Amino acid sequence: MKLIIRNRERGYEMSHKYVYLFTEGNGKMRELLGGKGANLAEMTNLGLPVPQGFTITTEACTKYYEDGRSINDEIKAEIMEYITKMEAITGKKFGDLENPLLVSVRSGARASMPGMMDTILNLGLNEQVVEVMAAKSGNPRWAYDCYRRFIQMFSDVVMEVGKKYFEKLIDAMKERKGVHFDNELTAEDLKELAEQFKAEYKNQLGEDFPSDPKEQLFKAIEAVFRSWDNPRANIYRMDHDIPYSWGTAVNVQMMAFGNLGDTSGTGVAFTRNPATGEKGLMGEFLMNAQGEDVVAGVRTPMPIAQMQEILPEVYTQFLDVCNTLENHYRDMQDMEFTIEDKKLYMLQTRNGKRTAAAAIKIACDLIDEGMISEEEALMQIDAKSLDMLLHPQFDPAALKKAEAVSKGIAASPGAAAGTIVFTAEDAVEHGKKGEKVVLVRLETSPEDIEGMKYSQGILTVRGGQTSHAAVVARGMGTCCVSGCGDIKMDEENKVFTLHGKTYHEGDVLSLDGSTGNIYAELIPTIPADPNSGYFGRIMELADKYKTLGVRTNADTPKDAKQAAAFGAQGIGLCRTEHMFFDPSRIGAFREMICSETVEEREAALAKIEPMQQADFEGLFEALGGYPVTIRFLDPPLHEFVPTDEADIAALAASQGKTVAYIKQVINDLHEFNPMMGHRGCRLAVTYPEIAAMQTKAVIKAALAVKSRHADWNIVPEIMIPLTGEVKELKFVKDIVVKTADEVIAASGASLKYEVGTMVEIPRACLTADAIAEEAEFFCFGTNDLTQMTFGFSRDDAGKFLPAYYGSKIYESDPFARLDTTGVGQLMEMAVTKGRSVRPGMHCGICGEHGGDPSSIEFCHKIGLSYVSCSPYRVPIARLAAAQAAIKNK
Ligand code: PEP
Ligand code: MG
């Protein structure tokens, strides 16, 4: 008897049932059936033409890993039970010589992971079955095409024999037969290829190709489970916050054959343009082809509209299905279909991946079409993807003057300018050095993902809008021009020719991902304007629903202005030390560090004070009356002194000190563990003059700006870093208050100001009630708080964290995504304790996590007043804050 546990929250019955027919599931069962499985079930329920089959649940995948990477007997038996059910439904039999059942085996995780998981088609074929199929169908070409494809895919996906061996054999066969394309090969050619493939298989693996369909099936299912843990999947999961524990489902589905002949075909389509969001069917298809052909760029596919001419009735039916699906899911759909001898089959539908530009347009259009609410529209957009809209565009004037040397398919918008590289490895190598590269490939494959990340743009010779390069580039927000067939590529020798000109590694190239134009020159880029059109409307809507404030971390008026243009409602962190690194100031600052007496130090600080005042005035001006939080000097002083002999000598000379003395100062500043050393408020405890100088600069700047803008509400927020003990905060605060009150009194004007603290040491969280007696506000410095809570250095953790990811000890970088269980608990405690003493005190966050959507949701939940992030993440934070509010209503 199967144990059934009702799980109301999930909306389905969780049980030890590991396999579901498509007729047993529905669209809400994503967690259990994965996205693909749930949607296949949903389409079946909608009465759409879906080749029937079953889904092996994500729980079976988790069990596979729990059982030491093996499928246990109970699950195997259940799968075979479902094969029998499938045989009854289809009237075909697995491995049968009379009426053989062939299946596809495809992965399908809860969240779609394009290009991450692999597909096997035509499973169930062997030497005898293919003979029967060839004879019975009267279409031997089809039978042997299926067979050679199956051997190819099984070898590559399941047994991990590289694709290249088989591609070489196909190319050799095409050359021998004097044909260009696979579909021009005859039945005999394909039969021979299948034999060659099997020989290659044996050659590579030292064993025969498996002929038992059952063995093939279990090997394929295992391969899908295994692929959940391949390096590509792991990278994708980390980039997209997908937990490892989710696992992937496996879909076993009866084959529909798009390679039966000229009345068959296969394709992919979107109900709206995934690059621009334009309403209207968009897609590609290939006649007499199977599955991967369209996306793999084997032949250049035809636009979907051409189907109307070739198979008008199927086209009309397909349009109907598209409408049904979009109306049903109330979102843009990305579909895969096959036509088997004029009969349409739907193989997949999902909410389509899209560029940020498309996402905001589709969201706005769906509101206007009355299809979704404002809240739903906001929830539809991936906040992180907005980053794409902030990417630079070509300078229109320079673009006008430039002359395109060729044109490909505009596959992913954006502007790329850089030097040519031919391999993903080269892209990584150059990209890591900060060099701008354009990756040029025949076509891309999942192994290229890392290199694609480091590229400004991607150019491929083959493939269309839905090729791997196009789909992945759009997901990354990287510019991509695909299918530039004019290029004659020689990947091996890292060279290509285009209209008679030869291009080598290191030559320059610019790509326009919005037009597909290719330029043999570097075209300058300019920043994008994020405040117009759909973007502006989405941001306005985000502001309507969010309750969290969004501030920015900005140290210069330039950054502050940029952030204000992106909608920042204040500065949450100005790291004042950054102002001292300027070459015109570092001298005075070093003078301060090397002073022998308080008088000397005060004299040096007096030189810095007006510079600081000017900086702060610039910040207040840029924010136009919004709050500005100024954090007092934080890093250990050794960061400011020279290390180079020549610089040390120059410093000694400029200050009238001996080299030996300067070296002694530098030596004295040395600490074994500077991040836990003489920094933060500890500097102000030992050098109160620094805090006094900074206070004077802040207050004088505020008074000056206030006098120029009487209607602005200027209330400077002075923030003391690294507090761990209320008495040290009080010590520094007393200096600030005394100095500020003197400056205000001397000015004859009035000014309100606040003194608060960063909360970035666990002890500050534990004693937050005591600290709130003095602090007028809290701001969580989660960079340090994460460092101190985990006890590992934010500067060094990068060296060993990859091993932790590899061993699944951590699934994400705790410095990028807030550790809500540990660090988050401390934050929540601090907010509660702080507000118990000072009700309603404002609490923010200004660590890196302030711009990360999942961390922002946590900040919303614990009642923070605002998040503060770098200027370019302000729009992301605004949307993420709105999504957090909607989700947690
Ligand atoms: C922090 O620690 O989170 C913080 C914002 O301060 P800094 O990064 O300057 O240490
Ligand atoms: Mg800090």
Side-chain angles (χ1 to χ4, degrees), residues 573 575 631 634 679 758 760 781-784 794 846-847:
L573 171 66
R575 293 176 165 103
R631 199 248 328 253
D634 181 55
R679 58 173 289 224
M758 291 198 70
E760 46 189 346
T782 45
N783 302 334
D784 274 310
R794 56 198 265 195
C846 62

Side-chain angles (χ1 to χ4, degrees), residues 5 123 254 327 348 377 420 498 522 568 735-736 770 816 821 871:
I5 307 159
L123 189 140
M254 185 184 82
N327 289 335
Q348 171 171 321
I420 296 171
L498 180 58
L522 284 180
I735 297 161
V736 172
T821 22

Side-chain angles (χ1 to χ4, degrees), residues 356-357 359-361 364 378 381-383 385-391 528-543 565-567 871-879:
I360 56 174
K361 175 167 168 49
C364 291
L378 289 172
I381 304 165
D382 170 12
S385 77
L386 291 184
D387 186 40
M388 294 182 199
L389 296 174
L390 311 172
H391 284 324
D529 168 19
N531 284 326
S532 54
Y534 296 110
F535 192 96
R537 184 168 166 198
I538 291 294
M539 285 295 104
E540 243 173 59
L541 278 183
D543 290 345
F566 285 163
Y872 277 82
R873 288 166 93 188
V874 166
I876 297 171
R878 286 163 77 191
L879 178 56

